[in-house]
Amino acid sequence: MGMFKPQVHRPHLVGIIFLPNKSCIPSRSWPSFSVRPWPQPQKKYRKNIRVGYVPSNIKAVAVAEAEAEAEASGTEISTSVKATAGVTMKSPNLLGGSLLLELVSAELDPQTGSQKKPINANAYQVLPKDGPEGGPKDGPKDAIFESKFVIPGDFGEIGAVLVENEHSSEVYLQHIILDGLPNGPIRFHCGSWIEPKTDNSRKRLFFTNKLYLPSQTPEGLRNLREKELHSLRGNDEGEHMTSNRIYDYDVYNDLGDPNKPKLARPVLGGSKQYPYPRRCGTGHLQYKTDPHSKTRSKSFYVPRDENFSEVKEKSFRGKTIECGWHAAIAHLNSPTKSEFRHFSDIFKLYYEGINLSSPVNRGFWQRVWNLLLNVKEDFLKFKPPALFLKDKFSWLWDEEFSRQTLAGVNPCSIKLVTEWPLKSTLDPDVYGPPESAITTELVEREIRAFMTIDEALEQKKLFIIDYHDLLLPYVSKVRQIEGTTLYGSRALFFLTPDGTLKPLAIELTRPPIEGKPQWKQVFTPTSESTGRWLWRFAKVHFLAHDSGYHQLVSHWLRTHCVTEPYIIATNRQLSVMHPIYRLLHPHFRYTMHINAHARESLINAEGIIESSFSPGKYSVELSSVAYDQQWRFDREALPADLINRGIAVEDADAPHGLKLLIEDYPFANDGLILWDALKQWVADYVNYYYKDASMVESDPELQAWWTEIRTKGHEDKKDEPWWPNLQTPDDLIGIITTITWMVSGHHSAVNFGQYDFAGYFPNRPTIARTNMPCEEPTEEGWQRFLDNPNSELLACFPSKLQATRIMATLDLLSEHSSDEEYLGKDRKLTWDEEPVIKEAFNRFSAKLEELGRTIDDRNKDNSLKNRNGAGVVPYELLRGVPYSISI
């Protein structure tokens, strides 16, 4: 009796596994099925003619040899099955190329103990799809390919299909459907580009939907499962090709160029001085002058299945070009160091666009842009950010400065003051006296209307954002770079009775430098004119530091950078048949590709970050220091993060099991609802497959996955004692929830509000270019500040080129693509295979819909002043959260 069930496995030495529910294929899946003999007598099949072109279409018919073999074998029952493949083609199929399909059994031959012989047939194009799905006239075309199989009754369970591309160019295989089976069709979710057949190419293998833990894998699939994982790990065969699917590790050794001293950068990762997560290896050659560094290329290798889809690539490329034009025109129209002369010039970027009136740039460029303006009238304008539209003067208000520490784009740096007085841990012989200049007397002067400092400490009312010890060692180095400066900085806040934060002080410190002693000064809000302007300057410097920390640590390091090792280990150690692979897969969509783009133009030597942020060429190096000093996996879970920062305490009677010390904390309030929903979904999923601790401990793929993340992906921290153990289902639930939270909720919170808050750069400047006016001023410099503080502040702000370049970049990074996939949506059909999992996913989706309604209600609540009020941007960053770090 033949059994045909959708499985998930990989064939022979040459197969390559593909997840059946590839994230970019929104399609239906069907349950496993059995084929039982029909009661009628054996059917005699007529021989069919070989597939060929038909005047109206090209139709695939049964392969005669397959049917003849079925008849000759004496098999009692055979089944005729039609295969339909959805394919996207880069070029028309003028030569009638086909796809060779081979069905693979999941069972071993009982007589030989080896793999059963696959059943093959060629699939030919029937008709290209018409309408929108067919794609643009000059772009990829969707088409349907068909073939027929005659499956003998003793073939056993269908495990997979092998595919060989017999076209001259690669094709994108969307799905394959097998029709004609007694219990319904099988659908293979493919979603992958397949390279043309060559002497060295491998057949591609796509599996049915059934998932197996390693111990549950059918005998016929065990060897194939392991061999496929081995092939994905690579074998150091040199530079990787764009068609490869190789996942290996390397350090960040390709950000600079050691042959050019100005572009030389240290290798990040692999040393005690610069510990760092690992990235995907490219196989690039080493520099002869520095064998520790790898050569750069115009585009970095990304495993083929990690690339953007055609829709995503087109959207990203178009937005990149538009943003690039903004930056390029700003560069042509302004000298590198040109600054804004009036605040009205900043407003004009949104109302009038980049000014092209300079005589230097008339002529050719004017004619070019006149043509462009005929196509897009506002092409030279920046769209007004949300903050600018709400209140273009809000950057001046202290209330907004404080509010954004809880509801802005970097809401995860603020923490409770637990020690007083404040004191540095750096070596005083190198950096000067460690005591903070923020004294008890100063603080009590600011909060005397509310309470004493002892009462504030006891009642947990004092909070701080402290970059002092992280930045101070780099102040001397950064000040050697022209056009920027740096301080060690910290800002102190008081929680008022109405639930808002009141800024108390900003401290800026310069270490001993060039024979001068340490300089430090505290700035406070004041109504006195000179003090008020110095406070504004202090905020600009602190916000520049906060912007750098946000971009380099809260955003890049904690999401993009640390996630890449998770993706590599998942593909190297977890078979696509593994339930945890399927659970994680949508959370890793596009991340490796966007990270490669970051290495190309964002974090590279003299890239966007280095040229526009205060630390300059030390920017990414600083993220290595933060990784060394601050990053711990066990504190990346949202509840653990809030507890570690002193923002929350455990309370079994409170919502989410936590009591927030700042009750109106939009990031935490919304984030904890999302965290709980994610954790429950992960728990339902994990507990379905792992009934007890022994199943977790005995899963070799799962244990290898977690070991590799710690010892290879985060090798520089492999011996830290805080890594969670992986022994029970609860351990696994905690690990998976932490990973999925960071790539979804946390990333959304620190990414998608960037243009809303920092696209209007006076609110969040990325660089402060001049020292504080009161730092050892000359008589002339101090007088210049007194006479025209506006001009001095504009000179401190980013230059025109820096500002417009960052605005264009943040606009790009804050965009959702048209094929974005959101938590609780777009994935429902993925879980149809298991009713229990499907129901759990539906509950997850419902909770996220409820979160959206809760966010609406909270944003309308007048008592919540950190998310509601005149000129206040409502907090919506945790509504509509993508699965993955896709931008």
Side-chain angles (χ1 to χ4, degrees):
M1 185 182 301
M3 301 291 290
F4 298 82
K5 297 182 180 180
Q7 311 273 59
V8 195
H9 70 283
R10 305 170 178 169
H12 303 302
L13 300 173
V14 298
I16 296 182
I17 294 183
F18 291 81
L19 184 66
N21 65 325
K22 184 75 174 181
S23 59
C24 60
I25 305 299
S27 54
R28 183 176 176 84
S29 59
W30 286 268
S32 56
F33 58 92
S34 303
V35 175
R36 298 183 180 275
W38 294 102
Q40 65 266 29
Q42 178 181 353
K43 179 179 179 179
K44 295 292 184 180
Y45 290 95
R46 65 180 179 85
K47 288 182 75 75
N48 293 294
I49 302 173
R50 193 55 128 152
V51 172
Y53 287 98
V54 181
S56 60
N57 64 1
I58 308 168
K59 189 170 183 179
V61 296
V63 178
E65 289 82 353
E67 294 188 345
E69 183 178 344
E71 288 192 66
S73 67
T75 304
E76 292 185 3
I77 299 295
S78 296
T79 303
S80 180
V81 175
K82 183 176 80 170
T84 304
V87 177
T88 300
M89 308 183 68
K90 283 191 171 180
S91 55
N93 185 22
L94 298 178
L95 300 179
S98 66
L99 297 176
L100 175 64
L101 308 182
E102 296 184 2
L103 297 184
V104 180
S105 173
E107 299 178 3
L108 296 177
D109 189 312
Q111 296 181 350
T112 66
S114 59
Q115 188 76 39
K116 290 184 178 181
K117 183 179 179 181
I119 302 173
N120 62 56
N122 284 80
Y124 291 86
Q125 184 176 346
V126 178
L127 271 180
K129 293 181 183 177
D130 295 325
E133 292 185 350
K137 293 182 179 180
D138 56 348
K141 296 286 186 180
D142 286 350
I144 296 296
F145 282 64
E146 290 182 356
S147 67
K148 286 187 179 179
F149 294 90
V150 177
I151 305 175
D154 61 353
F155 188 70
E157 298 184 13
I158 294 179
V161 57
L162 279 162
V163 182
E164 190 169 64
N165 175 18
E166 297 182 343
H167 295 82
S168 59
S169 61
E170 67 174 352
V171 299
Y172 184 79
L173 184 58
Q174 301 170 14
H175 59 262
I176 298 173
I177 303 172
L178 299 182
D179 277 311
L181 297 158
N183 288 354
I186 307 175
R187 185 163 191 155
F188 295 82
H189 300 268
C190 306
S192 180
W193 289 97
I194 304 177
E195 62 181 321
K197 175 183 176 181
T198 64
D199 292 339
N200 299 320
S201 64
R202 299 173 174 180
K203 294 176 183 176
R204 301 295 299 270
L205 182 58
F206 300 88
F207 295 92
T208 54
N209 271 356
K210 190 170 183 180
L211 300 175
Y212 296 106
L213 295 177
S215 62
Q216 301 166 344
T217 310
E219 290 296 327
L221 306 181
R222 290 179 181 271
N223 191 41
L224 304 177
R225 180 172 184 151
E226 176 54 38
K227 286 181 177 179
E228 174 55 25
L229 283 174
H230 181 75
S231 71
L232 292 173
R233 296 167 191 156
N235 56 8
D236 297 323
E237 61 264 34
E239 186 168 359
H240 302 335
M241 301 293 103
T242 56
S243 60
N244 289 159
R245 296 176 66 246
I246 297 173
Y247 298 81
D248 53 9
Y249 295 97
D250 206 344
V251 294
Y252 280 76
N253 52 12
D254 58 356
L255 300 181
D257 183 349
N259 290 335
K260 301 175 182 178
K262 192 176 180 181
L263 300 180
R265 298 293 182 270
V267 173
L268 303 183
S271 68
K272 291 184 178 180
Q273 185 179 7
Y274 300 114
Y276 217 54
R278 299 301 189 260
R279 62 167 176 86
C280 186
T282 59
H284 285 178
L285 299 176
Q286 299 172 334
Y287 282 99
K288 293 181 179 179
T289 54
D290 179 8
H292 298 293
S293 297
K294 295 288 183 69
T295 56
R296 292 175 55 80
S297 61
K298 291 183 179 179
S299 62
F300 287 111
Y301 163 79
V302 175
R304 190 65 179 99
D305 284 351
E306 307 296 337
N307 277 272
F308 290 166
S309 69
E310 293 290 305
V311 172
K312 170 74 172 180
E313 182 63 35
K314 182 179 180 180
S315 171
F316 183 83
R317 191 186 305 120
K319 191 67 178 179
T320 301
I321 291 172
E322 181 178 341
C323 294
W325 274 114
H326 275 131
I329 292 301
H331 177 69
L332 289 168
N333 208 50
S334 304
T336 302
K337 301 174 187 176
S338 176
E339 60 201 40
F340 294 95
R341 295 184 179 182
H342 308 283
F343 278 94
S344 59
D345 293 338
I346 301 173
F347 297 165
K348 288 177 182 178
L349 293 174
Y350 311 108
Y351 295 137
E352 299 177 11
I354 300 172
N355 180 18
L356 288 176
S357 61
S358 171
V360 175
N361 292 313
R362 288 190 183 277
F364 171 74
W365 283 105
Q366 187 69 59
R367 291 194 299 272
V368 169
W369 283 111
N370 286 339
L371 291 173
L372 287 173
L373 290 173
N374 289 331
V375 178
K376 188 173 183 182
E377 185 177 321
D378 59 350
F379 196 84
L380 294 178
K381 298 178 186 177
F382 287 91
K383 65 181 181 184
L387 186 78
F388 182 85
L389 290 173
K390 283 284 187 178
D391 183 354
K392 62 178 62 68
F393 300 107
S394 62
W395 67 278
L396 293 168
W397 318 138
D398 291 342
E399 295 81 2
E400 183 64 16
F401 169 62
S402 297
R403 190 190 74 83
Q404 288 182 31
T405 66
L406 305 174
V409 75
N410 188 32
C412 43
S413 285
I414 192 164
K415 59 184 180 179
L416 180 70
V417 174
T418 56
E419 295 182 357
W420 192 266
L422 302 174
K423 189 175 182 179
S424 171
T425 61
L426 297 174
D427 185 351
D429 292 336
V430 178
Y431 300 104
E435 293 79 16
S436 171
I438 302 178
T439 63
T440 297
E441 295 74 20
L442 184 149
V443 173
E444 291 199 326
R445 185 174 70 241
E446 296 295 322
I447 66 171
R448 61 189 174 191
F450 302 99
M451 60 186 69
T452 67
I453 191 169
D454 289 335
E455 291 171 330
L457 291 167
E458 182 181 357
Q459 297 178 32
K460 299 182 178 180
K461 299 294 185 181
L462 289 181
F463 295 87
I464 192 170
I465 298 178
D466 195 343
Y467 303 132
H468 182 278
D469 286 8
L470 178 67
L471 298 180
L472 199 62
Y474 280 86
V475 171
S476 296
K477 298 177 184 178
V478 169
R479 288 192 173 204
Q480 296 176 28
I481 303 172
E482 184 180 2
T484 186
T485 189
L486 194 65
Y487 294 95
S489 63
R490 51 171 66 104
L492 190 66
F493 302 87
F494 174 73
L495 182 61
T496 66
D498 67 359
T500 60
L501 291 174
K502 169 183 169 64
L504 302 180
I506 292 175
E507 180 181 22
L508 301 177
T509 304
R510 184 205 68 196
I513 185 173
E514 298 175 351
K516 301 175 183 178
Q518 181 195 70
W519 179 91
K520 67 175 63 169
Q521 190 164 335
V522 177
F523 304 89
T524 59
T526 179
S527 59
E528 184 267 323
S529 60
T530 301
R532 183 170 66 247
W533 273 104
L534 288 175
W535 170 246
R536 287 176 182 168
F537 272 83
K539 285 200 295 184
V540 168
H541 280 272
F542 176 80
L543 286 168
H545 306 160
D546 189 65
S547 294
Y549 186 89
H550 159 257
Q551 199 64 260
L552 294 164
V553 181
S554 302
H555 184 197
W556 163 254
L557 175 67
R558 293 182 63 190
T559 63
H560 292 259
C561 188
V562 303
T563 297
E564 189 148 336
Y566 307 153
I567 302 173
I568 299 170
T570 298
N571 284 277
R572 286 166 55 90
Q573 298 299 338
L574 296 181
S575 166
V576 295
M577 287 190 279
H578 202 291
I580 300 304
Y581 180 99
R582 181 173 294 186
L583 178 62
L584 287 172
H585 188 262
H587 292 284
F588 296 153
R589 184 175 186 242
Y590 297 155
T591 302
M592 293 183 73
H593 198 168
I594 199 64
N595 284 3
H597 278 301
R599 300 206 324 273
E600 290 168 14
S601 59
L602 194 67
I603 64 171
N604 60 303
E606 295 192 346
I608 294 171
I609 296 291
E610 286 193 2
S611 63
S612 304
F613 283 75
S614 285
K617 69 177 185 179
Y618 300 102
S619 294
V620 185
E621 184 180 319
L622 262 170
S623 71
S624 170
V625 176
Y627 177 70
D628 181 33
Q629 297 178 1
Q630 301 175 2
W631 188 84
R632 290 177 49 158
F633 182 88
D634 62 327
R635 292 178 179 173
E636 292 300 277
L638 179 59
D641 171 49
L642 295 171
I643 292 170
N644 176 59
R645 291 192 281 123
I647 301 293
V649 293
E650 293 185 84
D651 184 344
D653 297 327
H656 321 291
L658 292 179
K659 179 181 179 182
L660 291 173
L661 300 185
I662 304 175
E663 294 182 3
D664 183 12
Y665 186 178
F667 165 69
N669 295 135
D670 298 353
L672 285 169
I673 296 177
L674 178 56
W675 169 270
D676 281 355
L678 269 171
K679 186 174 183 180
Q680 187 60 59
W681 156 238
V682 172
D684 290 341
Y685 189 95
V686 167
N687 288 327
Y688 179 78
Y689 290 100
Y690 294 93
K691 305 303 182 185
D692 54 46
S694 64
M695 294 183 71
V696 173
E697 291 182 296
S698 63
D699 185 333
E701 288 184 8
L702 188 69
Q703 294 297 329
W705 167 76
W706 184 235
T707 298
E708 183 163 299
I709 284 175
R710 293 182 287 110
T711 63
K712 287 191 176 182
H714 289 274
E715 184 176 347
D716 298 334
K717 285 181 172 282
K718 64 181 180 180
D719 297 322
E720 296 289 355
W722 41 253
W723 284 104
N725 294 318
L726 181 51
Q727 299 173 337
T728 69
D730 283 345
D731 293 338
L732 181 57
I733 291 166
I735 290 168
I736 298 295
T737 308
T738 298
I739 292 173
T740 55
W741 157 255
M742 291 306 298
V743 302
S744 60
H746 180 95
H747 180 259
S748 286
V750 300
N751 180 74
F752 290 106
Q754 290 189 90
Y755 191 75
D756 284 344
F757 289 100
Y760 180 40
F761 72 87
N763 181 63
R764 284 188 67 79
T766 59
I767 187 172
R769 295 186 297 147
T770 61
N771 294 339
M772 287 293 295
C774 56
E775 184 196 334
E776 301 171 351
T778 62
E779 184 176 339
E780 179 184 356
W782 182 250
Q783 191 60 48
R784 192 167 56 246
F785 162 69
L786 294 177
D787 289 344
N788 197 342
N790 255 319
S791 294
E792 294 300 295
L793 187 61
L794 287 168
C796 186
F797 274 148
S799 68
K800 287 184 179 180
L801 177 59
Q802 290 169 330
T804 51
R805 194 178 189 189
I806 285 295
M807 289 163 64
T809 301
L810 297 184
D811 186 17
L812 170 68
L813 297 181
S814 301
E815 287 281 330
H816 291 281
S817 69
S818 59
D819 70 340
E820 192 84 86
E821 293 186 353
Y822 297 93
L823 286 177
K825 300 178 181 178
D826 308 309
R827 283 273 164 181
K828 291 185 178 181
L829 297 176
T830 301
W831 315 111
D832 280 359
E833 182 72 18
E834 299 290 351
V836 173
I837 299 300
K838 178 181 178 181
E839 182 57 34
F841 186 80
N842 289 339
R843 291 195 299 270
F844 175 53
S845 298
K847 288 181 179 179
L848 296 184
E849 291 176 2
E850 183 180 347
L851 171 58
R853 293 189 291 271
T854 299
I855 289 173
D856 285 337
D857 292 341
R858 287 172 171 174
N859 286 338
K860 296 174 184 176
D861 189 339
N862 293 329
S863 68
L864 300 178
K865 294 181 171 56
N866 290 322
R867 61 194 307 158
N868 179 280
V872 171
V873 177
Y875 192 76
E876 298 182 317
L877 295 176
L878 293 177
R879 177 217 303 279
V881 173
Y883 278 96
S884 65
I885 303 165
S886 60
I887 189 65

